[in-house]
Amino acid sequence: MKRTNFFKICLAVGTFVAIPFTVYAKTRINKGFKVNAGKDRFGKSISLFEGDTFDCKISGKDTDNDLYVFESIRRKKGGPAEHVHYDQDEWWYVLTGEFMVKIGGETFQLKAGDSVFGPRKIPHAWAKTSEGEARLLMIFQPAGKIEDYFKAASEGVLARMSVDEQNEFRKSHGFERVGPALNYLKQ
């Protein structure tokens, strides 16, 4: 191999290998930040489930889509239908109140200070079970498209869709409904 060809190949390979690091450095934030108690990272809470709010603490935009963390302030009892995330792990940490979380065939009763982990591809559902306001810290890893789903849902996008369209919308955001919401009253 001629020396000039060798150098050309080395430069090409080096450039190709460096591209992901260049993109990474440009899209991931490079400084710390603080989010005050009771506040959203971007100053605008997401409102879901008739008055319950989601305050972003760490956005997928902050982490090159590696992580999404939000605090859910729940006023009503209940929670979402059983669903499965294709590529995301989920973690719940109870700050105040009580919750029930079903992961696969197991159901967990949680109170303040308890946490539970839900691996990707395992059906799960959760519900607030206590009276009054309750708060839950939730983490998605990787962030996936769930943050965008919550924003769209809070803007009423789902209300304008048929059931089939809602199902396709969920799938396009990395998850799907696989069962009903938890019946926490029978527990």
Side-chain angles (χ1 to χ4, degrees), residues 3-185:
R3 182 177 285 206
T4 56
N5 287 342
F6 175 77
F7 286 123
K8 287 178 185 176
I9 290 170
C10 287
L11 283 172
V13 168
T15 301
F16 180 73
V17 169
I19 287 171
F21 297 103
T22 304
V23 170
Y24 179 78
K26 289 182 180 178
T27 60
R28 189 177 191 91
I29 66 164
N30 60 2
K31 64 179 187 172
F33 59 86
K34 177 185 176 191
V35 180
N36 289 329
K39 300 294 181 184
D40 179 84
R41 164 96 171 92
F42 302 108
K44 185 178 181 199
S45 298
I46 293 173
S47 181
L48 293 174
F49 310 116
E50 299 177 32
D52 294 338
T53 57
F54 288 20
D55 286 332
C56 177
K57 300 301 180 180
I58 302 172
S59 172
K61 294 172 185 70
D62 299 324
T63 64
D64 206 23
N65 216 31
D66 287 339
L67 184 69
Y68 174 45
V69 179
F70 68 92
E71 180 179 352
S72 178
I73 298 115
R74 317 293 296 180
R75 290 171 182 85
K76 289 178 47 184
K77 288 185 177 183
E82 186 174 29
H83 58 280
V84 63
H85 298 277
Y86 308 134
D87 299 312
Q88 295 172 293
D89 297 323
E90 194 168 351
W91 182 72
W92 300 264
Y93 180 83
V94 178
L95 298 166
T96 62
E98 295 179 4
F99 291 83
M100 172 193 301
V101 180
K102 178 184 176 194
I103 302 169
E106 276 190 271
T107 301
F108 303 92
Q109 303 296 329
L110 305 174
K111 60 184 181 333
D114 292 340
S115 70
V116 66
F117 174 76
R120 63 192 73 188
K121 299 181 180 153
I122 304 298
H124 59 277
W126 55 273
K128 174 185 173 266
T129 59
S130 59
E131 298 295 331
E133 185 177 278
R135 295 179 18 244
L136 186 64
L137 191 65
M138 297 176 70
I139 296 176
F140 287 89
Q141 189 284 316
K145 296 180 181 178
I146 198 71
E147 185 175 359
D148 292 335
Y149 173 83
F150 289 148
K151 286 179 184 175
S154 75
E155 294 165 358
V157 169
L158 294 174
R160 297 186 296 268
M161 295 181 177
S162 70
V163 172
D164 288 340
E165 289 171 326
Q166 289 177 11
N167 290 336
E168 288 306 312
F169 188 71
R170 287 184 194 94
K171 288 177 184 179
S172 73
H173 285 80
F175 73 105
E176 68 181 284
R177 184 182 289 183
V178 295
L182 289 178
N183 185 350
Y184 57 90
L185 299 174

